[in-house]
Amino acid sequence: MILQINGEPVDVQIDTLADLLVARGFGEAKVATAVNGQFVPATARADFVMSDGDRIEVLAPMQGG
Amino acid sequence: MRDFYGTTLANGFMLGSAQYPSPAILADAFKRSGASVATVSLRRESGQDRAGQDFWHLIRDLGVHILPNTAGCHSVKEAVTTAHMAREVFDTKWIKLEVIGEEDTLQPDVFGLVEAARILSEDGFQVFPYTTEDLVVADRLLHAGCEVLMPWGAPIGSGLGLNNIFGLRAMRAHFPDVPLVIDAGLGLPSQAARAMELGFDAVLLNTAVAKAGDPAAMAEAFATAIRAGQLAAIADPMEPRDMAAPSTPVIGKAFLE
């Protein structure tokens, strides 16, 4: 299925958000996630099953004022 | 000094972490500033360079309070979702709530701000709302659950200082027990000193330090000014008057005509 990960289309064969993060190298990273504009807490990622076309946001600490 | 949701800060300096020429200069500026709070944000993590992870280690090692923001959010939904993500990443209830309403001035959408503040306060957040000096909006924010208010001095990044001294003074007088922070628009240390002299509890700034020729030196300049202004406020300044009043005693003056 095709997902939008941080705005980039990616073709994956992965079911859960947790597995997607591991596959993309975010397994240990300090990041927060949202799917289709809804916050998905870290504790809910393992059970969160993604669907074709989902928009995944992976956000990390960044400079801010 | 008034506390911020039960936290007493060592000083009234809140410093932003954006726009520095390099991470090393950022760290140096924070050390020279002695700032007690660092503002941070959340952005998309790139696949390869993991800039966010390096930044997190840098900020964590500064040993200051972390105040995540919702900068760039234009809707209540966007700001609330960003706040939730920030709470998880930074492990803090504090959120600098920005709901931007207008692009040229980056002034807050105060209607969305009040709504977002209510939603987040009810959800256990400790909200630091970026607002205007409008007293009615301020009152609505307090009723929405905010225990801190952050009126702007001038538009973000403008360096214009305190655009509405009258309004800010009225705000201080109207809410004597509420911690008030001047957030945004400061360009010079003298403007920060003025804010503290007016009785504000802290100032929050970023561009004035980060975009200075020597950010670390400017950070120290602001720290010194903030301390001076705070001491002046505690010392209870004299009332200005229109006419001169001799400071040297007149009685006992020699007659030398």
Side-chain angles (χ1 to χ4, degrees), chain A residues 6-8 24-26 28-34 36-43 45 56-65, chain B residues 16-19 26 39-47 50-53 55-56 69 77 81 84-85 88-90 96 98 204 206:
Chain A
N6 284 349
E8 297 289 328
R24 303 290 294 177
F26 293 118
E28 300 297 316
K30 203 164 186 57
V31 292
T33 49
N36 300 330
Q38 300 293 327
F39 171 54
V40 179
T43 51
R45 289 175 195 156
I56 318 290
E57 294 287 334
V58 182
L59 304 189
M62 207 58 70
Q63 294 84 347
Chain B
S17 59
Q19 307 183 86
L26 185 161
T39 55
V40 296
S41 193
L42 282 178
R43 287 292 180 268
R44 286 172 166 174
E45 181 74 308
S46 67
R50 297 287 189 273
Q53 308 308 305
F55 174 70
W56 168 244
N69 69 25
K77 179 179 181 295
T81 302
H84 278 279
M85 297 175 88
E88 183 175 273
V89 164
F90 294 108
K96 176 186 163 181
E98 293 184 29
L204 198 168
N206 191 154

Side-chain angles (χ1 to χ4, degrees), chain B residues 12-15 180-183 186 191-193 195-196 200-205 222 226:
Chain B
F13 197 173
M14 301 181 176
L15 184 55
L180 298 179
V181 183
I182 294 289
D183 176 17
L186 298 183
Q191 297 159 352
M196 299 302 285
F200 282 78
D201 298 275
V203 297
L204 198 168
L205 58 106
F222 267 99
I226 290 164

Side-chain angles (χ1 to χ4, degrees), chain B residues 73-225:
Chain B
C73 291
H74 286 71
S75 71
V76 172
K77 179 179 181 295
E78 219 180 355
V80 168
T81 302
T82 302
H84 278 279
M85 297 175 88
R87 179 164 68 175
E88 183 175 273
V89 164
F90 294 108
D91 193 24
T92 177
K93 295 177 183 173
W94 283 13
I95 190 75
K96 176 186 163 181
L97 182 61
E98 293 184 29
V99 183
I100 299 300
E102 207 281 319
E103 274 305 318
D104 286 335
T105 59
L106 294 178
Q107 75 181 80
D109 166 4
V110 294
F111 307 99
L113 181 70
V114 170
E115 187 182 344
R118 182 183 51 75
I119 292 168
L120 291 171
S121 297
E122 286 175 357
D123 202 12
F125 283 86
Q126 295 175 332
V127 178
F128 292 63
Y130 162 63
T131 185
T132 68
E133 64 275 42
D134 189 295
L135 297 182
V136 180
V137 172
D139 202 47
R140 295 284 168 91
L141 287 167
L142 296 175
H143 278 101
C146 296
E147 296 179 18
V148 173
L149 298 172
M150 301 211 298
W152 63 349
I156 295 170
S158 69
L160 291 172
L162 305 179
N163 268 357
N164 183 359
I165 293 272
F166 168 80
L168 293 171
R169 195 189 290 134
M171 195 173 193
R172 178 70 285 173
H174 202 73
F175 302 105
D177 300 322
V178 178
L180 298 179
V181 183
I182 294 289
D183 176 17
L186 298 183
L188 288 168
S190 54
Q191 297 159 352
R194 183 78 177 110
M196 299 302 285
E197 287 165 0
L198 289 174
F200 282 78
D201 298 275
V203 297
L204 198 168
L205 58 106
N206 191 154
T207 310
V209 166
K211 290 296 188 186
D214 183 342
M218 190 59 85
E220 185 178 339
F222 267 99
T224 308

Side-chain angles (χ1 to χ4, degrees), chain A residues 6-23:
Chain A
N6 284 349
E8 297 289 328
V10 180
D11 191 355
V12 297
Q13 304 303 319
I14 295 172
D15 292 329
T16 69
L17 183 56
D19 288 343
L20 176 74
L21 290 180
V22 171

